[in-house]
Amino acid sequence: MSRPAAILFDLDGTLLDTAPDLGAALNRVLKAEQRPLVSASDYTPIASHGSAGLLRFAYGEAEFEQRKDELRHKFLSFYSEAIAEQTQLFAGVSELLAQLQQQQIPVAIVTNKPTALTVQLLPSFPELAAIEVVVCGDTLAVAKPSPQPLLHATQALQVVAGDCWYVGDAERDIQAGRAAGMRTIVANYGYISAIETPTAWGADSFIETPLELLDLLT
Ligand SMILES: O=C(O)COP(=O)(O)O
């Protein structure tokens, strides 16, 4: 694998372990309605699917569809009140980003998280705050699995998409990366549920820790 022109990263489940704060917000919504709470072992594997994925899991498809706007509004307001209480960088992310900077490999974030939450969250992590190109779920009219957010990031970085890598922990990440013509890498340490089969997503590589990405550069 030759040296990439840039490496683009998904945020939730790839750079940041956001599941505990996402799960806490979900449980605040449920608690307010005297509903049964969801355990970390249940919400963590679906945390990359955002508010819609978490609420759909807790309420079931029919009730979620019926109450979607109201539930998402409640969830987002709780999440935004306590967005960086328990969230941390995955172990090794800080060293990984420092290494990439040293090797002068540009980095960007392409997330489906809405802009308002992303800009609220990133300043809590100085290692990420230095990343200038950040494309969010509502930056464009379309989000991942569309390749457009990834292509938007490559335009901002002034690099050719086909020379870039995209690292993510969800099938939609790999779909977007493949459609953008990038090398795709599954962050296997992220939020992947037991019923998913990442080996069938068509990715080029898998990493079990963030720092394993460096092995792909050599
Ligand atoms: O919040 C979401 O919808 C998921 O965010 P991600 O794309 O960074 O995994």
Side-chain angles (χ1 to χ4, degrees), residues 10-12 47-50 110-114 144 169 172-173:
D10 168 56
L11 186 62
D12 297 69
S48 271
H49 302 302
V110 181
T111 175
N112 271 3
K113 223 178 182 62
K144 300 176 288 182
D169 69 321
R172 79 176 71 78
D173 297 325

Side-chain angles (χ1 to χ4, degrees), residues 35 47 54 72 115 117 138-139 172 177 187 191 196 201 214:
R35 306 274 290 234
L54 288 161
R72 286 185 83 176
T115 304
L117 295 173
D138 54 359
T139 301
R172 79 176 71 78
Y191 307 142
E196 293 178 287
W201 295 348
L214 296 175

